[in-house]
Amino acid sequence: ILNHSDRLMIKSMVGSDAAGIYSLAYSISTIMTMISTSIQNTLNPWIYKQIKVKNFQAIAKVAYIILAVVAFANYLLICFAPEVIYFFAPAAYHQAVYVIPPVAMGCYFLFMYCLFADFELYQAKTTYMMIASVISAGLNLVLNYLFIPTFGYIAAAYTTLACYIIYTSLHYLFMRRICKRVYDNVKVYDMRIILLITGIFLACGFFTMSLYERVYVRYAIVLITAG
């Protein structure tokens, strides 16, 4: 939904060419969304079973591992974004490389929110889902209106990332509310661990993006990280 509204606003404020570049980068980045969705669809039944028996410790242990895997997968996309763009698009679209990092980071937060939203879905609190969606979508429109005219289509990627962070944060707060009311205020996740994984991912992602013009340095960092 955010991608569709972004494209429409970019087209009206900047032009069709910019909207096309943004759409290309967004489409490439959604490869990670598809992978994350597949992981989540596999994980959901197991999480619901653990919620039913109140085995929250098991949920947390698996969540940390999977979250780190998703972060690393999105980091790899950020690392090789220039090569992916050069392979799929002509030279006129190569600026799209700078859209991929914030969108890939947004994909990471979309996976993270599911870890919190599973508690809402298990308790059938669909109102919480609606509230988070309306707030995030509305904020996205406002931020795009403010920043796209000044910073161009790349701003839309960052406004979307900001909205996904807020969207995830809202679902965390709703999960905590459910846990207080239903599960004796249990703290399912240690947020220090989640914030550590998130902080490392974001820092590495932005740092790697700054090395897009220094190919060999970027490759060396990828090899060191993988090792």
Side-chain angles (χ1 to χ4, degrees):
I1 295 174
L2 295 189
N3 175 37
H4 181 66
S5 65
D6 287 348
R7 284 189 286 115
L8 290 177
M9 296 188 75
I10 291 170
K11 185 177 180 179
S12 64
M13 294 180 179
V14 185
S16 298
D17 291 342
I21 294 173
Y22 182 84
S23 295
L24 170 68
Y26 207 102
S27 297
I28 292 173
S29 300
T30 52
I31 294 171
M32 290 296 108
T33 302
M34 294 170 61
I35 294 173
S36 299
T37 301
S38 298
I39 294 173
Q40 191 62 39
N41 288 340
T42 302
L43 197 60
N44 275 347
W46 179 83
I47 290 179
Y48 293 153
K49 289 180 182 178
Q50 303 311 310
I51 293 175
K52 183 177 181 179
V53 298
K54 300 183 180 181
N55 190 4
F56 303 118
Q57 188 174 14
I59 295 175
K61 287 181 179 179
V62 172
Y64 302 146
I65 296 171
I66 300 298
L67 193 61
V69 170
V70 171
F72 185 69
N74 280 283
Y75 174 65
L76 288 179
L77 176 61
I78 293 172
C79 287
F80 295 108
E83 289 71 27
V84 174
I85 290 291
Y86 295 157
F87 180 79
F88 282 106
Y93 285 80
H94 287 178
Q95 270 195 325
V97 67
Y98 292 102
V99 175
I100 289 181
V103 175
M105 293 172 187
C107 293
Y108 165 81
F109 281 99
L110 278 180
F111 177 81
M112 188 198 298
Y113 106 83
C114 293
L115 298 176
F116 309 143
D118 281 339
F119 287 82
E120 300 165 47
L121 293 172
Y122 185 80
Q123 294 294 329
K125 299 294 185 179
T126 55
T127 302
Y128 292 161
M129 305 288 292
M130 182 186 68
I131 292 172
S133 297
V134 170
I135 291 175
S136 300
L139 182 61
N140 184 249
L141 292 174
V142 172
L143 293 177
N144 281 343
Y145 181 79
L146 292 174
F147 293 109
I148 289 177
T150 303
F151 298 102
Y153 67 89
I154 292 179
Y158 287 94
T159 60
T160 298
L161 171 59
C163 290
Y164 283 152
I165 292 173
I166 291 171
Y167 185 66
T168 302
S169 301
L170 288 172
H171 281 293
Y172 171 73
L173 294 175
F174 291 145
M175 182 200 71
R176 288 293 305 134
R177 186 172 185 177
I178 290 171
C179 289
K180 287 180 180 179
R181 293 183 173 184
V182 182
Y183 300 112
D184 298 322
N185 200 27
V186 65
K187 292 185 178 179
V188 180
Y189 303 109
D190 186 338
M191 288 307 296
R192 293 172 298 180
I193 297 176
I194 291 180
L195 290 175
L196 178 63
I197 296 170
T198 302
I200 292 173
F201 167 57
L202 294 179
C204 290
F206 282 121
F207 177 69
T208 301
M209 183 175 65
S210 71
L211 299 175
Y212 277 168
E213 303 299 326
R214 305 177 68 180
V215 178
Y216 295 110
V217 175
R218 180 160 46 88
Y219 285 177
I221 289 175
V222 172
L223 290 174
I224 293 170
T225 304

